[in-house]
Amino acid sequence: MTTQKVVVAAALGECVHVAGVMNFLRLAKAAGWRTVFLGPAVSVQDLLAAARREKADLVGVSYRLTPETGERLLGEFAEAASDLHAAGVRFAFGGTPPVAERARALGFFERIYDGGEPPEAVLAYLKGQPAEGAGEKDFPQTTVERIRWKSPFPILRHHFGLPTMEATLEGVAQIAEAQALDVISLGIDQDAQENFFHPEKQDPRRRGAGGVPVRSAEDYRALHEVSRRGNFPLLRTYSGTDDFIRLAEMYLETIHIAWAAIPLFWFNQMDGRGPWDLEGSLREHQRVMAWYGARGIPVELNEPHHWGMRDAPDVVFVVSAYLSAYNARAFSVQDYIAQMMFNSPPGLSDAMDLAKMLAILDLIAPLSRSGRGAGGEGNFRIWRQTRTGLLSFPLDPAAARAHLAASVYLQMALRPHIVHVVGHSEAHHAATAEDVIESCKLARRAIENALAGQPDMTADPKVQERRAELAAEARLTLDAIRSLAAPGAPDPLTDPVTLARAVTCGILDAPPTLNHRYIFEDIPMSLAPMASLGERYGVSVRGMDAIIRLACIVHRTDYWRRGRTLDKLGIHDLSVSELTRYVNKGVLE
């Protein structure tokens, strides 16, 4: 049996500042050490006596007062501890930057911290991982390994992509060197998502619109190459809106994609971001899920927040999250990343936001316990990922920073494995490398505060009541979707025909979607006959006509042909008086 290592730590001499010592010991405990805290103002003799008595493997020393006094005291300590040092006991120091500089000059301490280090760097040291001279092999290069290595801290992810390759390459290098995060999600422009393999369809006028204009596999290789520094972050990017498998093959070969992010119902004709119709895109998304699943690559379905950002009811948000996990499991995904975007829609209270996410976790947890992925029973693992709402950031920079920190602190109530940091600049401009680094620092501080002893916000009775209410409503909604399946249809919750019908009949609905019943029902059934009446009797209907034409273009459907025209109603040849009598009496004379 491996003997548990022991660390003894204290604030030395007359120093009474112990917050740093306690944080150090908290991290040591998380790394598996037995910790002994001696408290403030501990003499050199008492600290060393405790180190000998406890058979310490590591001694932590803190001093945060004047540098001159600290230098003298630390010199005395080093001399008195020389026998322990020679016997292999390790020593670490933490203090203010001026005192840390004096401590470094002594050449006695194995590791010196001045407060500017991220906690994960301290944790890595306590886990025995190298700091100086670390290479790619010292930083896990798969998502699951990185999560486990970073625990109890979540790994951090942030989108990054500027309008030119040159600026993006420089920014990726800067972010990696700063060791600000663990995963860089490459934000690529629309043509890179939809027309990467079809240069003839690319529009030079929108080059760089919405992200970095990657146009070749070499571009992706270059982005990966410049990230090989600092803490060697993982890379990932969008799954695209067409040519899904070809893109997946290239992502795996060029950037060693950390995980795939795939929608279920979106990024198609319904939202105008892809060429596929709803049913066709569902099939394609399921196919690419299976492709990644067969290769053991984690999959995230970036689905529920698209409903939330369109003001869908909370129950639709929850149901879409369940359908995402259910489909991932059905298509042999082994490591599923459950994304939960808070603040969507904006203005939702923290309590109700938290309840919504807890309802999601309640519904999807049984899928993990009864996993039926490629490896059999229990082979479906769920990793929690949280993020701040894209549309929730205020424009004021100070308020935006506060919003980011507050949102991340709330998210920590779910103890996420991944925190997707959204830049505080989101409401104003796409994040620069400096914005990414600053936003990650803000998020990291909120995470540290939460891990140091966050109260259990999930225990609020109002949260629990809403949590149960949403879960019950979601189960009813899922039953309604199942009822749509045709006789003999496969599993309704994975059947593209049934799932598409759940949207077109309005069970899954969000007012601002272009696939709303206000368009596909009201245009042909109400507006088309009214416009037909106006045209027949010489009344100007230019406004109605424009709306109908727009709907035809958006849905790629001839609503004049499908709609209730006067011909179909059998009243095209009626005069105004005859039509009036028909309306009043309900019979044709």
Side-chain angles (χ1 to χ4, degrees):
M1 188 177 74
T2 304
T3 304
Q4 188 178 30
K5 292 188 289 187
V6 178
V7 55
V8 175
L12 196 63
E14 66 276 17
C15 182
V16 296
H17 302 288
V18 296
V21 182
M22 294 177 70
N23 282 334
F24 181 78
L25 291 178
R26 178 173 55 82
L27 293 171
K29 187 174 182 180
W33 292 69
R34 181 169 73 84
T35 62
V36 179
F37 177 47
L38 300 180
V42 177
S43 68
V44 170
Q45 294 75 20
D46 288 347
L47 176 51
L48 293 177
R52 294 185 176 96
R53 181 177 65 252
E54 299 290 344
K55 296 182 173 55
D57 299 279
L58 173 65
V59 177
V61 179
S62 175
Y63 189 85
R64 298 183 61 82
L65 301 180
T66 58
E68 294 77 16
T69 306
E71 182 178 23
R72 185 167 57 252
L73 184 61
L74 293 175
E76 294 173 9
F77 177 83
E79 186 176 348
S82 59
D83 61 322
L84 291 175
H85 193 276
V89 177
R90 300 156 64 193
F91 292 84
F93 175 79
T96 61
V99 181
E101 186 179 348
R102 303 291 180 98
R104 195 171 286 111
L106 291 173
F108 175 79
F109 293 97
E110 177 184 68
R111 186 72 76 244
I112 296 172
Y113 297 109
D114 63 10
E117 306 81 11
E120 52 264 37
V122 181
L123 188 62
Y125 164 69
L126 290 164
K127 290 181 176 181
Q129 296 154 355
E132 287 79 23
E136 185 168 0
K137 63 180 177 57
D138 300 305
F139 296 92
Q141 291 300 296
T142 69
T143 301
V144 173
E145 289 175 338
R146 192 91 167 201
I147 288 170
R148 289 172 174 157
W149 174 76
K150 188 86 172 286
S151 178
F153 293 91
I155 64 173
L156 299 186
R157 161 197 175 189
H158 200 300
H159 275 295
F160 181 69
L162 297 176
T164 68
M165 271 295 297
E166 294 75 15
T168 304
L169 287 165
E170 183 179 337
V172 167
Q174 185 179 346
I175 293 166
E177 201 66 65
Q179 303 192 32
L181 44 63
D182 300 278
V183 184
I184 298 176
S185 290
L186 296 171
I188 56 178
D189 70 0
Q190 184 60 33
D191 268 334
Q193 297 179 60
E194 185 174 355
N195 299 314
F196 183 87
F197 296 108
H198 308 282
E200 73 282 359
K201 296 182 180 179
Q202 295 170 9
D203 184 352
R205 293 172 298 178
R206 64 175 188 173
R207 181 180 178 85
V212 55
V214 283
R215 295 293 183 265
S216 68
E218 283 306 314
D219 285 346
Y220 281 108
R221 290 191 189 96
L223 288 163
H224 184 265
E225 180 61 30
V226 297
S227 72
R228 301 303 86 197
R229 63 188 73 203
N231 65 344
F232 296 83
L234 312 181
L235 296 185
R236 57 161 313 282
T237 190
Y238 307 132
S239 294
T241 61
D242 200 4
D243 302 307
F244 301 101
I245 303 298
R246 290 180 70 187
L247 284 171
E249 291 170 342
M250 182 188 62
Y251 294 156
L252 183 57
E253 190 270 325
T254 57
I255 63 172
H256 311 290
I257 188 167
W259 72 81
I262 304 165
L264 192 61
F265 292 100
W266 300 94
F267 291 82
N268 47 40
Q269 293 176 15
M270 187 165 78
D271 58 4
R273 297 185 66 178
W276 290 86
D277 62 18
L278 178 56
E279 185 181 323
S281 70
L282 281 161
R283 296 184 193 279
E284 289 298 304
H285 295 156
Q286 291 170 339
R287 194 163 72 94
V288 75
M289 276 184 236
W291 189 93
Y292 280 108
R295 288 154 182 80
I297 298 170
V299 169
E300 161 196 342
L301 265 75
N302 53 347
E303 176 67 28
H305 70 272
H306 283 289
W307 296 96
M309 289 193 297
R310 292 168 172 85
D311 295 325
D314 283 353
V315 66
V316 172
F317 191 108
V318 174
V319 166
S320 67
Y322 178 82
L323 290 172
S324 297
Y326 189 91
N327 275 262
R329 188 186 72 160
F331 289 92
S332 299
V333 171
Q334 299 165 53
D335 290 289
Y336 175 66
I337 296 172
Q339 183 192 148
M340 293 167 282
M341 182 189 282
F342 282 66
N343 321 110
S344 294
L348 190 64
S349 73
D350 286 352
M352 297 301 98
D353 220 358
L354 192 55
K356 180 169 68 176
M357 304 313 175
L358 290 168
I360 290 172
L361 295 177
D362 289 342
L363 288 176
I364 68 174
L367 298 176
S368 180
R369 292 194 290 270
S370 59
R372 60 183 187 193
E377 183 71 8
N379 199 40
F380 184 69
R381 293 174 291 271
I382 296 173
W383 305 95
R384 298 180 298 278
Q385 177 184 221
T386 61
R387 65 187 293 190
T388 306
L390 284 168
L391 306 181
S392 66
F393 280 89
L395 188 60
D396 178 77
R401 288 176 173 87
H403 177 66
L404 172 60
S407 178
V408 171
Y409 188 81
L410 175 67
Q411 295 164 34
M412 288 302 295
L414 301 181
R415 289 298 180 262
H417 302 99
I418 306 167
V419 170
H420 180 170
V421 181
V422 179
H424 60 79
S425 64
E426 181 68 28
H428 188 272
H429 62 268
T432 64
E434 292 80 7
D435 293 329
V436 171
I437 293 167
E438 182 183 2
S439 295
C440 288
K441 287 181 177 179
L442 289 165
R444 183 183 288 127
R445 183 62 191 187
I447 291 166
E448 291 174 36
N449 289 352
L451 290 177
Q454 184 185 53
D456 184 5
M457 292 183 279
T458 68
D460 185 314
K462 291 182 180 178
V463 170
Q464 290 296 325
E465 181 182 359
R466 179 61 172 162
R467 172 187 190 173
E469 181 182 63
L470 278 174
E473 289 179 356
R475 292 186 181 99
L476 285 173
T477 306
L478 289 166
D479 286 341
I481 293 172
R482 291 185 182 98
S483 72
L484 298 175
D491 183 349
L493 300 189
T494 62
D495 175 32
V497 175
T498 305
L499 292 175
R501 191 172 295 150
V503 176
T504 57
C505 79
I507 291 177
L508 297 180
D509 200 4
T513 65
L514 293 176
N515 202 48
H516 197 272
R517 63 174 179 268
Y518 291 166
I519 297 178
F520 63 71
E521 288 181 5
D522 290 0
I523 293 290
M525 298 299 109
S526 300
L527 212 57
M530 284 192 286
S532 182
L533 274 170
E535 183 180 358
R536 166 67 176 84
Y537 297 109
V539 178
S540 174
V541 289
R542 287 180 297 176
M544 290 184 188
D545 186 60
I547 293 172
I548 295 169
R549 287 177 184 274
L550 283 173
C552 292
I553 293 169
V554 168
H555 284 185
R556 303 183 186 185
T557 299
D558 188 345
Y559 281 122
W560 288 112
R561 185 185 298 273
R562 284 184 53 189
R564 293 192 296 187
T565 61
L566 297 188
D567 279 332
K568 290 181 180 179
L569 293 171
I571 56 175
H572 182 269
D573 294 327
L574 298 184
S575 66
V576 174
S577 59
E578 289 171 331
L579 181 62
T580 302
R581 284 195 299 272
Y582 176 50
V583 171
N584 290 330
K585 297 181 180 180
V587 292
L588 289 172
E589 295 179 356

